[in-house]
Amino acid sequence: MVADMCVSIKAGSSDYLEKHPERRISFSQNFYIIGVTFAAGIGGLLFGYDTGVISGALLYIKDDFEVVKNSSFLQELIVAMALIGAIFGAAIGGYINDSLGRKAATIVADICFAVGSLLIAVAPNPTLIIVGRFFVGLGVGFASVTAPMYIAEVSPSEIRGGLVSVNCLMITTGQFLSFVINYGLTRVPGTWRWMLGIAGTPAVIQLVLMVFLPESPRWLYLKNRKEEATNVLSRIYPSPRLEDEIDILEAHMEQEQKDKVKVKYSDVFKLKEIRVAFICGAGLQAFQQLTGISVIMYYSPTIIQLAGFKSNESALFLSLIVSAINAGGTIIGIYLIDIVGRKKLTLSSLIGVVGSLILLSASCYVRGHGNPSLVYGWLAVAGLALYIIFFAPGMGPVPWAVNTEIYPEEFRGICGGMSATINWVGSVIMSISFLSFVDAIGLGESFMILLAVACVAIVFVIFYMPETKGLTFEEVSNIWKEKAYGKDKNIESMVEQAST
């Protein structure tokens, strides 16, 4: 029975659900999945809050520390240190996810968030702020790998994209909350300490919730803990879909035991299908950052001030509007990603980003070259808003969703972690260099560079990104084998390739 089903119709695939539409699962049918998704998504909330809050807090750190106010490099370092920590967190997090599980990785992330927030809240000097930001960044890196992967592995294929996008909604909600809290604390003594220290609270909440959350059923099955995996799956799928899903996992395990070959981590990228998949996943993560989202979110108050709105309060209020648009756009993305598909959504998003960057760069260029009219300042704010409107539904969630789908089970953690590391490296490059580029060539010219990168990203998506909407993990794996070896060739299994 198992072998026949693996050859013909897989549980969760489009063919399977067309033949058995009554077995299709919607968002409203299983509140257990929704609960797990939002509990896991607290990591995304912390991710968003800790990366967004610094944009407002930095204004007040400069007021308290003259050395920071007089050094663009120190300002960039305070912003970027969390991203540097995220690089290490994402790389280490991939290994922990594969070896110890998704729950262990989430717990480590929460500890890092709590320790980092505490250090920043009591910091007597910029050095300890930088150290605390590094610990927070470790937590961000762990969460960026773990939360979307965990959610994807407990999700039915037909709603997987939307559920993974919920994590992106939590990220943008965290960023929005950071701007709300920043604006609300503008007149509170110790402003930046409260802004940055309050992030420890959600971390503690998630740490408690993790006691009650299950481990990923796919990870449990991979570790031969079948009874535990079945118990988790029974909460997700009703019978007879449950039996079909278990059969697929059982067939996967039997094939692995039959081949009796283990691929070492060091040999992962010797496999052509994984290299091809990784280029797609890492490319999407890189373009997510290199098209400027870190610049827009981390420096939006500074950009708004450079555009002519000088007061801290005005800059924070307008940034709050931009952040609210970001959260709203992500909600649209949750709806569209499993309907329109990943590729079309990404292309439409990038085309809109190109248009908004044209407006943003042109308005900033004109204002920076002798025309002080506030009209161009408002056009720049409109460009920021349009950028987020187009970026949030597509380029926001899609790279994270795709990277949870395209790697084989055995290496989903390490490959996802390395891909997320590429994302954070890009984020560091953008955040630590932006103010220096503005000082050197001007604000409008800096946005023109982002415009050129966005055009390259469109070409990359057209020629390299496949559509994975509604496919099982196994079906996605076949896409990469076809790309690697060709449709008409006799494709060896990944394990067989490793043994030759």
mmCIF file of all heavy atoms in Angstrom, residues 88-131:
data_model
loop_
_atom_site.group_PDB
_atom_site.id
_atom_site.type_symbol
_atom_site.label_atom_id
_atom_site.label_comp_id
_atom_site.label_asym_id
_atom_site.label_seq_id
_atom_site.Cartn_x
_atom_site.Cartn_y
_atom_site.Cartn_z
ATOM 1 N N PHE A 88 25.605 34.546 13.331
ATOM 2 C CA PHE A 88 26.060 33.401 14.127
ATOM 3 C C PHE A 88 24.877 32.562 14.602
ATOM 4 O O PHE A 88 24.929 31.328 14.591
ATOM 5 C CB PHE A 88 26.882 33.884 15.325
ATOM 6 C CG PHE A 88 28.232 34.416 14.960
ATOM 7 C CD1 PHE A 88 28.428 35.771 14.756
ATOM 8 C CD2 PHE A 88 29.310 33.565 14.804
ATOM 9 C CE1 PHE A 88 29.678 36.276 14.415
ATOM 10 C CE2 PHE A 88 30.571 34.054 14.462
ATOM 11 C CZ PHE A 88 30.749 35.411 14.272
ATOM 12 N N GLY A 89 23.801 33.221 15.015
ATOM 13 C CA GLY A 89 22.627 32.495 15.495
ATOM 14 C C GLY A 89 21.999 31.632 14.416
ATOM 15 O O GLY A 89 21.599 30.492 14.665
ATOM 16 N N ALA A 90 21.923 32.167 13.192
ATOM 17 C CA ALA A 90 21.333 31.404 12.094
ATOM 18 C C ALA A 90 22.196 30.202 11.734
ATOM 19 O O ALA A 90 21.690 29.099 11.490
ATOM 20 C CB ALA A 90 21.148 32.310 10.871
ATOM 21 N N ALA A 91 23.531 30.414 11.707
ATOM 22 C CA ALA A 91 24.434 29.319 11.359
ATOM 23 C C ALA A 91 24.404 28.211 12.408
ATOM 24 O O ALA A 91 24.289 27.026 12.083
ATOM 25 C CB ALA A 91 25.859 29.857 11.185
ATOM 26 N N ILE A 92 24.492 28.591 13.687
ATOM 27 C CA ILE A 92 24.467 27.600 14.769
ATOM 28 C C ILE A 92 23.068 26.999 14.891
ATOM 29 O O ILE A 92 22.901 25.809 15.161
ATOM 30 C CB ILE A 92 24.891 28.247 16.102
ATOM 31 C CG1 ILE A 92 26.307 28.803 15.992
ATOM 32 C CG2 ILE A 92 24.812 27.239 17.249
ATOM 33 C CD1 ILE A 92 26.696 29.699 17.159
ATOM 34 N N GLY A 93 22.055 27.834 14.687
ATOM 35 C CA GLY A 93 20.672 27.379 14.818
ATOM 36 C C GLY A 93 20.320 26.270 13.860
ATOM 37 O O GLY A 93 19.541 25.372 14.189
ATOM 38 N N GLY A 94 20.873 26.309 12.645
ATOM 39 C CA GLY A 94 20.612 25.233 11.700
ATOM 40 C C GLY A 94 21.073 23.895 12.220
ATOM 41 O O GLY A 94 20.362 22.885 12.119
ATOM 42 N N TYR A 95 22.253 23.862 12.818
ATOM 43 C CA TYR A 95 22.787 22.612 13.374
ATOM 44 C C TYR A 95 21.948 22.136 14.560
ATOM 45 O O TYR A 95 21.616 20.950 14.672
ATOM 46 C CB TYR A 95 24.238 22.812 13.813
ATOM 47 C CG TYR A 95 24.819 21.606 14.511
ATOM 48 C CD1 TYR A 95 25.247 20.500 13.785
ATOM 49 C CD2 TYR A 95 24.915 21.577 15.897
ATOM 50 C CE1 TYR A 95 25.767 19.392 14.426
ATOM 51 C CE2 TYR A 95 25.434 20.469 16.549
ATOM 52 C CZ TYR A 95 25.863 19.383 15.805
ATOM 53 O OH TYR A 95 26.372 18.283 16.442
ATOM 54 N N ILE A 96 21.581 23.057 15.460
ATOM 55 C CA ILE A 96 20.784 22.672 16.631
ATOM 56 C C ILE A 96 19.422 22.147 16.208
ATOM 57 O O ILE A 96 18.897 21.185 16.777
ATOM 58 C CB ILE A 96 20.650 23.865 17.600
ATOM 59 C CG1 ILE A 96 22.008 24.178 18.233
ATOM 60 C CG2 ILE A 96 19.619 23.583 18.693
ATOM 61 C CD1 ILE A 96 21.999 25.354 19.171
ATOM 62 N N ASN A 97 18.830 22.767 15.191
ATOM 63 C CA ASN A 97 17.532 22.300 14.694
ATOM 64 C C ASN A 97 17.613 20.863 14.202
ATOM 65 O O ASN A 97 16.713 20.055 14.458
ATOM 66 C CB ASN A 97 17.044 23.210 13.566
ATOM 67 C CG ASN A 97 16.204 24.353 14.065
ATOM 68 O OD1 ASN A 97 15.030 24.186 14.377
ATOM 69 N ND2 ASN A 97 16.801 25.531 14.172
ATOM 70 N N ASP A 98 18.666 20.539 13.482
ATOM 71 C CA ASP A 98 18.790 19.189 12.945
ATOM 72 C C ASP A 98 19.147 18.169 14.018
ATOM 73 O O ASP A 98 18.669 17.034 13.987
ATOM 74 C CB ASP A 98 19.854 19.156 11.839
ATOM 75 C CG ASP A 98 19.330 19.705 10.517
ATOM 76 O OD1 ASP A 98 18.102 19.747 10.339
ATOM 77 O OD2 ASP A 98 20.155 20.090 9.672
ATOM 78 N N SER A 99 19.976 18.552 14.974
ATOM 79 C CA SER A 99 20.473 17.585 15.946
ATOM 80 C C SER A 99 19.598 17.479 17.190
ATOM 81 O O SER A 99 19.350 16.366 17.685
ATOM 82 C CB SER A 99 21.909 17.938 16.354
ATOM 83 O OG SER A 99 21.966 19.242 16.905
ATOM 84 N N LEU A 100 19.121 18.590 17.717
ATOM 85 C CA LEU A 100 18.376 18.589 18.981
ATOM 86 C C LEU A 100 16.888 18.854 18.822
ATOM 87 O O LEU A 100 16.120 18.629 19.763
ATOM 88 C CB LEU A 100 18.982 19.613 19.952
ATOM 89 C CG LEU A 100 20.459 19.413 20.313
ATOM 90 C CD1 LEU A 100 20.926 20.508 21.257
ATOM 91 C CD2 LEU A 100 20.682 18.038 20.934
ATOM 92 N N GLY A 101 16.479 19.385 17.675
ATOM 93 C CA GLY A 101 15.066 19.618 17.439
ATOM 94 C C GLY A 101 14.679 21.077 17.467
ATOM 95 O O GLY A 101 15.455 21.949 17.875
ATOM 96 N N ARG A 102 13.448 21.335 17.019
ATOM 97 C CA ARG A 102 12.957 22.716 16.911
ATOM 98 C C ARG A 102 12.674 23.335 18.285
ATOM 99 O O ARG A 102 12.884 24.534 18.490
ATOM 100 C CB ARG A 102 11.688 22.758 16.079
ATOM 101 C CG ARG A 102 11.657 22.193 14.657
ATOM 102 C CD ARG A 102 12.896 21.717 14.037
ATOM 103 N NE ARG A 102 12.669 21.107 12.715
ATOM 104 C CZ ARG A 102 13.615 20.498 12.040
ATOM 105 N NH1 ARG A 102 14.840 20.370 12.549
ATOM 106 N NH2 ARG A 102 13.356 19.982 10.849
ATOM 107 N N LYS A 103 12.214 22.531 19.234
ATOM 108 C CA LYS A 103 11.928 23.060 20.568
ATOM 109 C C LYS A 103 13.198 23.545 21.256
ATOM 110 O O LYS A 103 13.226 24.627 21.848
ATOM 111 C CB LYS A 103 11.243 21.999 21.440
ATOM 112 C CG LYS A 103 9.793 21.744 21.081
ATOM 113 C CD LYS A 103 9.130 20.774 22.046
ATOM 114 C CE LYS A 103 8.987 21.364 23.435
ATOM 115 N NZ LYS A 103 8.154 20.516 24.309
ATOM 116 N N ALA A 104 14.267 22.751 21.197
ATOM 117 C CA ALA A 104 15.526 23.131 21.836
ATOM 118 C C ALA A 104 16.064 24.427 21.242
ATOM 119 O O ALA A 104 16.543 25.314 21.963
ATOM 120 C CB ALA A 104 16.551 22.009 21.683
ATOM 121 N N ALA A 105 15.980 24.563 19.917
ATOM 122 C CA ALA A 105 16.470 25.775 19.257
ATOM 123 C C ALA A 105 15.658 26.992 19.689
ATOM 124 O O ALA A 105 16.210 28.086 19.881
ATOM 125 C CB ALA A 105 16.409 25.605 17.743
ATOM 126 N N THR A 106 14.350 26.824 19.849
ATOM 127 C CA THR A 106 13.495 27.934 20.293
ATOM 128 C C THR A 106 13.832 28.347 21.718
ATOM 129 O O THR A 106 13.868 29.549 22.046
ATOM 130 C CB THR A 106 12.013 27.535 20.200
ATOM 131 O OG1 THR A 106 11.712 27.135 18.862
ATOM 132 C CG2 THR A 106 11.110 28.700 20.588
ATOM 133 N N ILE A 107 14.077 27.393 22.587
ATOM 134 C CA ILE A 107 14.431 27.690 23.979
ATOM 135 C C ILE A 107 15.751 28.467 24.047
ATOM 136 O O ILE A 107 15.873 29.453 24.786
ATOM 137 C CB ILE A 107 14.515 26.386 24.799
ATOM 138 C CG1 ILE A 107 13.104 25.812 25.002
ATOM 139 C CG2 ILE A 107 15.184 26.624 26.156
ATOM 140 C CD1 ILE A 107 13.078 24.412 25.557
ATOM 141 N N VAL A 108 16.728 28.053 23.266
ATOM 142 C CA VAL A 108 18.001 28.768 23.232
ATOM 143 C C VAL A 108 17.790 30.201 22.747
ATOM 144 O O VAL A 108 18.370 31.152 23.290
ATOM 145 C CB VAL A 108 19.013 28.029 22.323
ATOM 146 C CG1 VAL A 108 20.281 28.867 22.149
ATOM 147 C CG2 VAL A 108 19.371 26.674 22.919
ATOM 148 N N ALA A 109 16.939 30.375 21.745
ATOM 149 C CA ALA A 109 16.640 31.718 21.235
ATOM 150 C C ALA A 109 16.040 32.594 22.332
ATOM 151 O O ALA A 109 16.436 33.759 22.500
ATOM 152 C CB ALA A 109 15.685 31.629 20.047
ATOM 153 N N ASP A 110 15.086 32.050 23.087
ATOM 154 C CA ASP A 110 14.437 32.825 24.144
ATOM 155 C C ASP A 110 15.427 33.251 25.225
ATOM 156 O O ASP A 110 15.359 34.370 25.750
ATOM 157 C CB ASP A 110 13.300 32.006 24.767
ATOM 158 C CG ASP A 110 12.117 31.845 23.829
ATOM 159 O OD1 ASP A 110 11.898 32.743 23.003
ATOM 160 O OD2 ASP A 110 11.422 30.818 23.923
ATOM 161 N N ILE A 111 16.347 32.365 25.573
ATOM 162 C CA ILE A 111 17.361 32.705 26.576
ATOM 163 C C ILE A 111 18.237 33.853 26.080
ATOM 164 O O ILE A 111 18.537 34.800 26.816
ATOM 165 C CB ILE A 111 18.211 31.466 26.927
ATOM 166 C CG1 ILE A 111 17.356 30.430 27.658
ATOM 167 C CG2 ILE A 111 19.417 31.853 27.776
ATOM 168 C CD1 ILE A 111 18.033 29.098 27.863
ATOM 169 N N CYS A 112 18.641 33.786 24.816
ATOM 170 C CA CYS A 112 19.460 34.861 24.242
ATOM 171 C C CYS A 112 18.708 36.188 24.223
ATOM 172 O O CYS A 112 19.270 37.241 24.544
ATOM 173 C CB CYS A 112 19.899 34.486 22.829
ATOM 174 S SG CYS A 112 21.096 33.143 22.739
ATOM 175 N N PHE A 113 17.420 36.161 23.834
ATOM 176 C CA PHE A 113 16.611 37.383 23.837
ATOM 177 C C PHE A 113 16.554 37.997 25.237
ATOM 178 O O PHE A 113 16.734 39.213 25.408
ATOM 179 C CB PHE A 113 15.180 37.071 23.382
ATOM 180 C CG PHE A 113 15.000 36.988 21.901
ATOM 181 C CD1 PHE A 113 14.453 35.851 21.315
ATOM 182 C CD2 PHE A 113 15.360 38.038 21.072
ATOM 183 C CE1 PHE A 113 14.257 35.768 19.943
ATOM 184 C CE2 PHE A 113 15.172 37.969 19.699
ATOM 185 C CZ PHE A 113 14.624 36.828 19.132
ATOM 186 N N ALA A 114 16.293 37.164 26.244
ATOM 187 C CA ALA A 114 16.127 37.661 27.607
ATOM 188 C C ALA A 114 17.434 38.237 28.150
ATOM 189 O O ALA A 114 17.448 39.329 28.745
ATOM 190 C CB ALA A 114 15.629 36.532 28.516
ATOM 191 N N VAL A 115 18.545 37.529 27.951
ATOM 192 C CA VAL A 115 19.843 38.002 28.446
ATOM 193 C C VAL A 115 20.236 39.302 27.757
ATOM 194 O O VAL A 115 20.663 40.276 28.410
ATOM 195 C CB VAL A 115 20.923 36.922 28.224
ATOM 196 C CG1 VAL A 115 22.315 37.493 28.513
ATOM 197 C CG2 VAL A 115 20.672 35.720 29.122
ATOM 198 N N GLY A 116 20.087 39.355 26.438
ATOM 199 C CA GLY A 116 20.450 40.559 25.700
ATOM 200 C C GLY A 116 19.629 41.765 26.102
ATOM 201 O O GLY A 116 20.167 42.869 26.284
ATOM 202 N N SER A 117 18.328 41.574 26.273
ATOM 203 C CA SER A 117 17.453 42.691 26.666
ATOM 204 C C SER A 117 17.823 43.229 28.037
ATOM 205 O O SER A 117 17.823 44.454 28.271
ATOM 206 C CB SER A 117 15.994 42.224 26.670
ATOM 207 O OG SER A 117 15.596 41.810 25.378
ATOM 208 N N LEU A 118 18.157 42.334 28.959
ATOM 209 C CA LEU A 118 18.545 42.756 30.304
ATOM 210 C C LEU A 118 19.847 43.550 30.276
ATOM 211 O O LEU A 118 19.963 44.603 30.928
ATOM 212 C CB LEU A 118 18.685 41.530 31.213
ATOM 213 C CG LEU A 118 19.091 41.811 32.666
ATOM 214 C CD1 LEU A 118 18.045 42.675 33.362
ATOM 215 C CD2 LEU A 118 19.304 40.500 33.426
ATOM 216 N N LEU A 119 20.828 43.076 29.518
ATOM 217 C CA LEU A 119 22.103 43.782 29.432
ATOM 218 C C LEU A 119 21.930 45.191 28.880
ATOM 219 O O LEU A 119 22.522 46.154 29.393
ATOM 220 C CB LEU A 119 23.076 42.995 28.542
ATOM 221 C CG LEU A 119 23.660 41.702 29.117
ATOM 222 C CD1 LEU A 119 24.521 40.996 28.067
ATOM 223 C CD2 LEU A 119 24.503 41.992 30.360
ATOM 224 N N ILE A 120 21.106 45.330 27.866
ATOM 225 C CA ILE A 120 20.888 46.656 27.263
ATOM 226 C C ILE A 120 20.171 47.584 28.236
ATOM 227 O O ILE A 120 20.516 48.763 28.357
ATOM 228 C CB ILE A 120 20.084 46.522 25.956
ATOM 229 C CG1 ILE A 120 20.893 45.760 24.910
ATOM 230 C CG2 ILE A 120 19.694 47.890 25.417
ATOM 231 C CD1 ILE A 120 20.114 45.374 23.677
ATOM 232 N N ALA A 121 19.184 47.059 28.934
ATOM 233 C CA ALA A 121 18.377 47.898 29.838
ATOM 234 C C ALA A 121 19.221 48.527 30.944
ATOM 235 O O ALA A 121 18.910 49.629 31.414
ATOM 236 C CB ALA A 121 17.251 47.075 30.445
ATOM 237 N N VAL A 122 20.285 47.844 31.369
ATOM 238 C CA VAL A 122 21.107 48.367 32.475
ATOM 239 C C VAL A 122 22.443 48.916 31.986
ATOM 240 O O VAL A 122 23.292 49.281 32.813
ATOM 241 C CB VAL A 122 21.357 47.274 33.538
ATOM 242 C CG1 VAL A 122 20.039 46.758 34.096
ATOM 243 C CG2 VAL A 122 22.173 46.103 32.964
ATOM 244 N N ALA A 123 22.646 49.001 30.683
ATOM 245 C CA ALA A 123 23.953 49.378 30.128
ATOM 246 C C ALA A 123 24.374 50.779 30.558
ATOM 247 O O ALA A 123 23.642 51.743 30.303
ATOM 248 C CB ALA A 123 23.919 49.290 28.605
ATOM 249 N N PRO A 124 25.573 50.921 31.167
ATOM 250 C CA PRO A 124 26.056 52.251 31.563
ATOM 251 C C PRO A 124 26.845 52.947 30.457
ATOM 252 O O PRO A 124 27.186 54.120 30.587
ATOM 253 C CB PRO A 124 26.982 51.931 32.748
ATOM 254 C CG PRO A 124 27.538 50.578 32.421
ATOM 255 C CD PRO A 124 26.451 49.845 31.678
ATOM 256 N N ASN A 125 27.144 52.225 29.371
ATOM 257 C CA ASN A 125 27.962 52.793 28.301
ATOM 258 C C ASN A 125 27.622 52.114 26.973
ATOM 259 O O ASN A 125 26.986 51.056 26.956
ATOM 260 C CB ASN A 125 29.451 52.632 28.625
ATOM 261 C CG ASN A 125 29.806 51.188 28.949
ATOM 262 O OD1 ASN A 125 29.588 50.284 28.147
ATOM 263 N ND2 ASN A 125 30.355 50.968 30.151
ATOM 264 N N PRO A 126 28.046 52.717 25.859
ATOM 265 C CA PRO A 126 27.736 52.131 24.554
ATOM 266 C C PRO A 126 28.306 50.723 24.356
ATOM 267 O O PRO A 126 27.728 49.926 23.608
ATOM 268 C CB PRO A 126 28.373 53.113 23.568
ATOM 269 C CG PRO A 126 28.429 54.410 24.297
ATOM 270 C CD PRO A 126 28.673 54.048 25.728
ATOM 271 N N THR A 127 29.418 50.405 25.029
ATOM 272 C CA THR A 127 30.026 49.082 24.855
ATOM 273 C C THR A 127 29.069 47.974 25.283
ATOM 274 O O THR A 127 28.909 46.959 24.579
ATOM 275 C CB THR A 127 31.334 48.982 25.658
ATOM 276 O OG1 THR A 127 32.242 49.993 25.199
ATOM 277 C CG2 THR A 127 31.976 47.606 25.483
ATOM 278 N N LEU A 128 28.438 48.137 26.449
ATOM 279 C CA LEU A 128 27.521 47.106 26.928
ATOM 280 C C LEU A 128 26.251 47.057 26.074
ATOM 281 O O LEU A 128 25.647 45.986 25.923
ATOM 282 C CB LEU A 128 27.158 47.330 28.400
ATOM 283 C CG LEU A 128 26.581 46.105 29.124
ATOM 284 C CD1 LEU A 128 27.543 44.926 29.043
ATOM 285 C CD2 LEU A 128 26.265 46.413 30.580
ATOM 286 N N ILE A 129 25.841 48.189 25.511
ATOM 287 C CA ILE A 129 24.715 48.186 24.566
ATOM 288 C C ILE A 129 25.061 47.286 23.383
ATOM 289 O O ILE A 129 24.251 46.454 22.944
ATOM 290 C CB ILE A 129 24.391 49.611 24.072
ATOM 291 C CG1 ILE A 129 23.887 50.485 25.216
ATOM 292 C CG2 ILE A 129 23.335 49.558 22.953
ATOM 293 C CD1 ILE A 129 23.676 51.937 24.819
ATOM 294 N N ILE A 130 26.288 47.429 22.884
ATOM 295 C CA ILE A 130 26.721 46.636 21.731
ATOM 296 C C ILE A 130 26.763 45.155 22.082
ATOM 297 O O ILE A 130 26.325 44.302 21.295
ATOM 298 C CB ILE A 130 28.098 47.136 21.239
ATOM 299 C CG1 ILE A 130 27.949 48.539 20.634
ATOM 300 C CG2 ILE A 130 28.698 46.180 20.212
ATOM 301 C CD1 ILE A 130 29.261 49.252 20.359
ATOM 302 N N VAL A 131 27.256 44.812 23.281
ATOM 303 C CA VAL A 131 27.290 43.412 23.718
ATOM 304 C C VAL A 131 25.871 42.849 23.831
ATOM 305 O O VAL A 131 25.573 41.739 23.372
ATOM 306 C CB VAL A 131 28.030 43.274 25.060
ATOM 307 C CG1 VAL A 131 27.909 41.846 25.610
ATOM 308 C CG2 VAL A 131 29.492 43.645 24.905
#
